[in-house]
């Protein structure tokens, strides 16, 4: 039985573990200790940090794994690239993986290869009051930790009064000696899911984003198809292809974040992994194939067919459950939710007795719903009605 090493055991790794087991692979999960749902599902667990390349290499060699897989997080992408290079596995190489995870390396690569992106400067992490840089760029700006995930350490700064808070957010979420300050672009945020295999993009799926405005815009849901007009879609695909080439990433899923500003697509970030927030589920429903299966098969060196199963794409919506306050879950009641076959999935990450946080960043979610319809508007209507019927009591 072939073995697969999955980095992470959180809610976004659960479908990877389940899919790998369904495909007949022996699943090995590596993650720091914690209350992570993937531990109970894996065939074998190692409690190690997913950035510890030496420990992961030892595990991979001793276990004789045939592939290493990542989804929903950027933090362990460099470790995946390291293992792929060291052990001859399929996936992004180490240098490309670093460019896809470190936002400064990414932005430099974009600049060098003509990718349209926001103007930026990098700053020493000990510089807690970079007013000169902010004034040079022009308010508002964005402070960004270069090595975080899930929108951690990313904060909009509208003026000097916001700098101290934004800098502390960076410090709390980085291991790097520098951070980014970039121009805040005004427009409509959207994204794309894609996959690159042997240097060729196999598909590009632009999607709309539902965005929560906290310290910065945080995606809390997505929908496909996204009707932006043929010119915008073509521009989006061109910029994505340029960005993938600039980073040199190959043989992996792609998660892209864009903003449409004055009619042009600007690349915010590119991840060498599938997106979180139900984006794999969205892609699967849209094309009619199981995208988790494709991701697992790709990293295991299997033949992968990305031909859409559906002749007509399935419009769908995903949305996170987010709390307006922090507290302990007393009750989650879904008995009032109207039975509807258009509700594909309605799930929760917590149960009574668990803590939830007031939503500010992606990891603050406590559940997710996925719906379909003949149109995106119909799928959204089903989603909103079902979410309104869910009763969540905190104490």
């Amino acid at each position: 039985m072939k073995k697969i090493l999955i980095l992470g055991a959180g809610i976004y790794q659960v479908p990877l573990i389940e899919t790998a087991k369904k495909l007949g692979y022996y699943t090995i999960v590596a993650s720091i200790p914690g209350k992570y749902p993937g531990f109970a599902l894996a065939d074998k667990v190692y409690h190690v940090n997913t950035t510890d390349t030496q420990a992961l290499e030892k595990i991979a060699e001793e276990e004789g794994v045939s592939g290493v897989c990542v989804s929903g997080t950027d933090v362990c992408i460099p470790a995946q690239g390291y293992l792929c290079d060291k052990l001859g596995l399929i996936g992004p190489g180490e240098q490309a993986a670093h460019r896809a995870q470190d936002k400064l390396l990414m932005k430099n690569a974009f600049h060098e290869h003509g990718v349209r992106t926001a103007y930026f400067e990098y700053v020493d992490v000990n510089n807690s009051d970079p007013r000169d840089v902010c004034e040079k760029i022009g308010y508002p700006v964005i402070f960004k930790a270069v090595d975080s995930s899930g929108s951690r350490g990313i904060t909009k700064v509208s003026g000097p009064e916001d700098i101290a808070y934004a800098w502390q957010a960076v410090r709390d979420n980085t291991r790097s000696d520098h951070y980014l300050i970039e121009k805040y672009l005004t427009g409509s945020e959207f994204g794309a899911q894609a996959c690159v295999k042997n240097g060729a993009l196999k598909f590009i799926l632009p999607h709309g984003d539902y965005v929560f405005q906290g310290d910065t815009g945080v995606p809390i849901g997505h929908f496909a198809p996204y009707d932006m007009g043929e010119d915008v879609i073509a521009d989006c695909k061109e910029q994505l292809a340029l960005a993938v080439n600039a980073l040199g990433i190959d043989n992996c899923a792609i998660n892209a974040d864009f903003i449409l500003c004055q009619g042009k697509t600007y690349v915010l970030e590119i991840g060498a992994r599938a997106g979180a927030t139900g984006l794999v589920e969205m892609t699967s429903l849209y094309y009619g194939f199981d995208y988790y299966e494709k991701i697992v098969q790709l990293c295991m060196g299997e033949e992968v067919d990305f031909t859409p199963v559906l002749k007509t794409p399935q419009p769908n919506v995903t949305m996170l459950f987010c709390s307006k306050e922090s507290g302990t879950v007393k009750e989650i009641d879904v008995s009032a939710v109207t039975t509807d076959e258009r509700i594909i999935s309605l799930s929760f990450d917590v149960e009574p007795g668990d803590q939830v946080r007031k939503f500010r960043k992606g990891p603050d979610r406590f559940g997710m719903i996925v719906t379909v319809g003949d149109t995106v508007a119909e799928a959204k209507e089903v989603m909103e009605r079902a979410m309104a019927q869910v009763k969540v009591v905190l104490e």
Side-chain angles (χ1 to χ4, degrees):
M1 179 183 292
K2 286 186 176 181
K3 297 180 179 181
I4 183 172
L5 174 61
I6 294 172
L7 303 183
I11 193 65
Y12 290 123
Q13 287 76 54
V14 164
L16 280 183
I17 301 167
E18 293 176 333
T19 300
K21 291 174 70 74
K22 181 179 71 174
L23 292 173
Y25 299 126
Y26 184 87
T27 56
I28 301 167
V29 163
S31 172
I32 58 173
K35 190 179 180 181
Y36 298 118
F39 288 148
L41 301 173
D43 293 303
K44 194 169 186 178
V45 171
Y46 284 92
H47 291 121
V48 301
N49 194 307
T50 55
T51 65
D52 187 341
T53 55
Q54 301 304 308
L56 293 171
E57 182 182 3
K58 182 179 179 181
I59 291 167
E61 286 182 332
E62 291 181 350
E63 294 287 351
V65 303
S66 299
V68 55
C69 203
V70 175
S71 181
T73 179
D74 294 315
V75 173
C76 50
I77 296 295
Q80 181 192 26
Y82 173 87
L83 294 175
C84 288
D85 279 357
K86 277 284 187 177
L87 305 178
L89 303 177
I90 302 296
E94 184 177 12
Q95 289 188 352
H98 276 292
R99 286 191 290 268
Q101 193 265 344
D102 185 301
K103 295 177 178 64
L104 177 57
L105 297 178
M106 180 185 300
K107 296 283 284 191
N108 282 333
F110 288 171
H111 178 71
E112 292 168 5
H113 288 79
V115 180
R116 195 182 299 127
T117 192
Y119 177 79
F120 67 98
E121 297 277 351
Y122 75 94
V123 185
D124 187 286
V125 76
N126 293 314
N127 186 347
S128 61
D129 192 16
R131 297 189 187 202
D132 56 337
V133 178
C134 296
E135 290 170 0
K136 175 183 177 182
I137 296 173
Y139 294 106
V141 297
I142 293 286
F143 279 41
K144 281 188 177 181
V146 299
D147 54 350
S148 64
S149 185
S151 300
R152 299 178 184 92
I154 302 178
T155 308
K156 179 183 177 183
V157 173
S158 297
E161 67 279 3
D162 298 332
I163 288 177
Y165 175 83
W167 176 77
Q168 191 60 55
V170 167
R171 285 300 300 266
D172 290 344
N173 291 280
T174 190
R175 298 175 301 280
S176 179
D177 62 1
H178 57 268
Y179 63 102
L180 284 182
I181 301 178
E182 68 179 37
K183 181 65 180 175
Y184 179 82
L185 298 177
T186 301
S188 300
E189 293 188 36
F190 69 104
Q193 297 304 292
C195 195
V196 58
K197 182 176 185 291
N198 296 332
L201 282 162
K202 308 307 292 186
F203 70 85
I204 299 176
L205 173 57
H207 55 76
D209 294 345
Y210 300 111
V211 179
F212 169 84
Q213 292 299 331
D215 294 336
T216 185
V218 180
I220 57 172
H222 307 281
F223 61 90
Y226 186 26
D227 185 12
M228 299 180 290
E230 292 184 5
D231 289 347
V232 174
I233 290 177
D235 186 42
C236 152
K237 292 182 176 181
E238 179 182 352
Q239 291 301 313
L240 176 57
L242 285 172
V244 169
N245 179 67
L247 300 182
I249 46 182
D250 199 2
N251 293 312
C252 61
I254 303 292
N255 178 56
D257 295 325
F258 304 119
I259 188 165
L260 184 63
C261 181
Q262 298 181 343
K264 293 189 177 296
T265 301
Y266 286 76
V267 182
L268 298 176
E269 295 178 15
I270 297 288
R273 46 83 178 176
T277 328
L279 284 165
V280 178
E281 289 80 1
M282 180 204 74
T283 304
S284 298
L285 286 167
Y286 187 83
Y287 288 120
F289 54 58
D290 187 332
Y291 190 27
Y292 283 113
E293 283 192 5
K294 308 297 183 186
I295 293 168
V296 171
Q297 290 168 338
L298 179 60
C299 80
M300 293 296 285
E302 307 286 357
E303 288 296 320
V304 189
D305 183 3
F306 290 98
T307 304
V309 174
L310 299 178
K311 292 183 178 179
T312 303
Q314 173 67 72
N316 67 91
V317 166
T318 71
M319 182 65 71
L320 299 184
F321 282 93
C322 308
S323 179
K324 295 181 180 179
E325 58 184 350
S326 299
T328 303
V329 178
K330 182 179 180 181
E331 178 186 8
I332 298 178
D333 185 359
V334 297
S335 61
V337 177
T338 303
T339 301
D340 193 325
E341 63 182 9
R342 294 170 296 180
I343 301 175
I344 302 302
S345 174
L346 176 61
S347 60
F348 297 93
D349 314 331
V350 297
E351 56 188 23
D354 289 341
Q355 298 289 315
V356 298
R357 295 184 298 270
K358 179 180 178 179
F359 190 86
R360 301 294 294 178
K361 306 294 184 185
D364 296 335
R365 59 167 276 179
F366 69 89
M368 186 174 72
I369 183 171
V370 181
T371 60
V372 299
D374 290 335
T375 63
V376 166
E378 180 184 322
K380 183 182 179 186
E381 180 182 349
V382 174
M383 174 270 291
E384 290 176 338
R385 180 173 62 249
M387 293 187 78
Q389 293 169 336
V390 173
K391 178 182 178 183
V392 180
V393 180
L394 301 181
E395 56 182 6

